[in-house]
Amino acid sequence: MTALRGEFRSRLGFIFAAAGSAVGLGNIWGFPTQAASNGGAAFLITYLVLAFLLAYPALMAELLIGRHTHRNMVMALGSLSDDPRTQRAGQLTGVLGLLTASLILSFYAIVAGWMLGYGASYPLGAMGSESTENWLNTFAASRNLTLMLIFMALTMAVVLGGVEKGIERWSRRLMPLLLITLVALALYVLTLEGATTGLAVYLLPDFSKVLSSDFLIDALGSAFFSLSLGVGTMLIYGSYLSDTEHVPTVGAQVALMDIGIAILAGFLILPAMYVADARGVAIFNEAGGLLSEDTLIFSVMPALFATLDTSGTWLATAFFMLMSIAALTSSISMLEVPVAYLIERHGLTRASATTWAGGIIATFSGLIVLNFDTLFGLVVTISTRYSQPLLGIAVCVFAGWVWRRDALLSELQKADASAEHSLFWQVWPIYVRWICPVIISVILLQSLV
Ligand code: PHE
């Protein structure tokens, strides 16, 4: 069975691919802007606590179930128990995960298309094609549709290559590039006037914000979104992981890389905002709060780049390239979820599975573009704020309650003969059984009432 499936060729390949899925617009855009408007370091600390206490154990649940079953989410969750009803519940959860992954991709591709567009507009503008530059930078259905389709085509092209020649190969190329670009941009911005004010906002906690009711659900949603949880992406990547790898260790490396890059992005975005402020760009609204999140990336950053002349063109191109790369290594993991399902459950070839899944998602994405005001926010909220944490609870329940403990132990023993005596084995099974579902439910309920 496993011989027919793809497998990551190396540990590093897996880590880059899984971290590539995790590191996306959520890290470089979402996390820093949320930290900026939610008390800086106070948000950072809450996020770190939630990431380690809730998201890492949930990540382990997905990776372990994936590696154990070597199957897509639907078949994996459906095979953990012998009881037909529990099997059906597992399959249903898997299908919901697959739908949520597709929904996320349908809005993600639109935003990622904007990143591509902005990234291309700067060099084109510098070369004198002003009308193309304007078209790429101006919100309109035709532009949104075209760029979304280009981004979906890129995503499909990578997924078409399969696990090793598509996902692993491109993640290994793109992730180092992303890291270098991010560090270089942050170092440059930190030398500009005003940057230290941004640093202070980022690093000095304002705990008064932590008490607001939406704060925890935001930080939780952020942590789940950032680690790509609940929707089967980590499960499917885990299913392509070789049996000789020690899952708790590689999982921790992926989580650390994701959190590290989010924190690093804060060192770019917050200082950049205050550099912009020092140069007369408006970053606060009339009430004295920070401008909303979308304004930040698509108006504050471009306004900042505009004050920097030629170096601004370079900086802008690098910045939007960074965003596009981050988006692409994430979007391929989203598309792989339905593609793997179609291949394994319905016997499609990778080429037709990619065409069908990509085609349907792009069509839905087109619908969102054409009804942007009604659909965009709705799809984002349903998929990331509610569906992801709910599915996260479900996966923890499957790992903690449905999966037999001896099967789990033998899974851990594949790469660690003394797993029975490890700290992980002492803590994690009880943890995913009780603590994760309870705390996630409490936070979710609190946000509803
Ligand atoms: N983790 C990605 C990000 O931070 C988003 C994502 C969500 C990717 C769900 C895959 C699945 O942008």
Side-chain angles (χ1 to χ4, degrees):
M1 153 197 98
T2 46
L4 294 174
R5 301 182 91 239
E7 186 171 293
F8 288 109
R9 209 187 319 184
S10 69
R11 174 183 305 173
L12 199 66
F14 167 77
I15 291 175
F16 276 157
S21 163
V23 174
L25 301 176
N27 300 61
I28 300 176
W29 174 5
F31 171 79
T33 42
Q34 276 183 319
S37 35
N38 281 308
F43 186 83
L44 176 69
I45 294 167
T46 315
Y47 178 83
L48 279 181
V49 170
L50 290 178
F52 279 108
L53 292 188
L54 294 177
Y56 171 70
L59 170 69
M60 287 310 304
E62 275 200 40
L63 289 179
L64 282 168
I65 293 176
R67 221 273 298 265
H68 177 68
T69 54
H70 289 297
R71 288 270 199 256
N72 63 83
M73 188 177 187
V74 180
M75 292 158 83
L77 293 183
S79 68
L80 290 177
S81 146
D82 299 328
D83 169 46
R85 264 187 309 178
T86 319
Q87 287 177 350
R88 271 199 297 278
Q91 287 163 354
L92 180 69
T93 310
V95 170
L96 291 176
L98 184 156
L99 289 177
T100 307
S102 309
L103 274 187
I104 294 179
L105 180 53
S106 70
F107 78 77
Y108 208 81
I110 301 173
V111 182
W114 297 338
M115 302 296 171
L116 285 180
Y118 272 84
S121 75
Y122 282 90
L124 285 173
M127 290 184 309
S129 335
E130 227 170 80
S131 59
T132 321
E133 182 190 7
N134 285 338
W135 184 77
L136 286 169
N137 287 348
T138 314
F139 191 96
S142 62
R143 172 202 72 158
N144 294 349
L145 207 58
T146 313
L147 293 174
M148 176 276 286
L149 288 173
I150 295 177
F151 183 79
M152 278 303 290
L154 286 175
T155 306
M156 287 163 71
V158 175
V159 170
L160 207 58
V163 180
E164 222 181 87
K165 299 214 171 75
I167 295 171
E168 179 168 5
R169 177 189 286 169
W170 281 98
S171 303
R172 283 188 79 131
R173 285 179 186 161
L174 295 176
M175 285 307 284
L177 189 63
L178 177 139
L179 209 60
I180 295 170
T181 315
L182 181 58
V183 172
L185 279 172
L187 286 178
Y188 180 77
V189 168
L190 283 172
T191 63
L192 301 174
E193 196 193 319
T196 39
T197 319
L199 264 191
V201 172
Y202 188 30
L203 298 177
L204 298 177
D206 172 3
F207 281 105
S208 63
K209 298 266 174 41
V210 180
L211 300 173
S212 88
S213 65
D214 274 350
F215 182 84
L216 274 181
I217 182 84
D218 275 353
L220 179 76
S222 228
F224 267 74
F225 184 73
S226 181
L227 272 172
S228 316
L229 293 178
V231 298
T233 44
M234 287 301 175
L235 196 152
I236 195 70
Y237 276 14
S239 81
Y240 299 140
L241 186 61
S242 141
D243 278 340
T244 55
E245 296 296 348
H246 187 240
V247 185
T249 308
V250 290
Q253 286 163 336
V254 170
L256 282 177
M257 204 150 151
D258 178 57
I259 295 164
I261 290 184
I263 293 176
L264 195 62
F267 283 97
L268 166 65
I269 304 287
L270 277 95
M273 287 165 58
Y274 285 83
V275 170
D277 184 44
R279 286 163 181 263
V281 176
I283 66 166
F284 297 104
N285 58 25
E286 276 156 22
L290 282 168
L291 284 177
S292 70
E293 293 178 10
D294 47 341
T295 327
L296 200 109
I297 292 286
F298 297 115
S299 78
V300 174
M301 295 303 272
L304 166 65
F305 298 134
T307 66
L308 294 166
D309 301 327
T310 331
S311 64
T313 307
W314 284 102
L315 229 57
T317 313
F319 177 74
F320 286 109
M321 190 189 82
L322 170 78
M323 299 295 256
S324 308
I325 292 177
L328 184 61
T329 53
S330 298
S331 64
I332 55 180
S333 73
M334 299 173 204
L335 184 58
E336 181 63 17
V337 175
V339 166
Y341 167 76
L342 289 175
I343 295 174
E344 291 172 9
R345 180 76 182 78
H346 297 288
L348 266 63
T349 61
R350 181 165 278 273
S352 50
T354 310
T355 314
W356 274 107
I360 293 172
I361 293 170
T363 308
F364 187 69
S365 195
L367 275 178
I368 300 182
V369 167
L370 298 176
N371 302 280
F372 195 85
D373 292 338
T374 20
L375 284 184
F376 186 81
L378 188 69
V379 174
V380 175
T381 310
I382 292 178
S383 59
T384 63
R385 201 173 155 129
Y386 298 109
S387 184
Q388 259 194 302
L390 274 173
L391 286 163
I393 300 178
V395 173
C396 289
V397 168
F398 276 95
W401 294 88
V402 175
W403 200 4
R404 297 226 328 260
R405 270 174 75 98
D406 52 346
L408 167 61
L409 182 61
S410 67
E411 177 56 36
L412 288 168
Q413 282 168 334
K414 278 181 185 166
D416 173 14
S418 59
E420 205 172 343
H421 307 290
S422 65
L423 180 66
F424 187 80
W425 176 250
Q426 316 290 326
V427 177
W428 185 79
I430 307 171
Y431 206 93
V432 279
R433 215 176 165 151
W434 297 103
I435 308 204
C436 284
V438 171
I439 304 184
I440 302 172
S441 311
V442 168
I443 298 180
L444 258 177
L445 282 177
Q446 202 197 13
S447 87
L448 287 177
V449 287

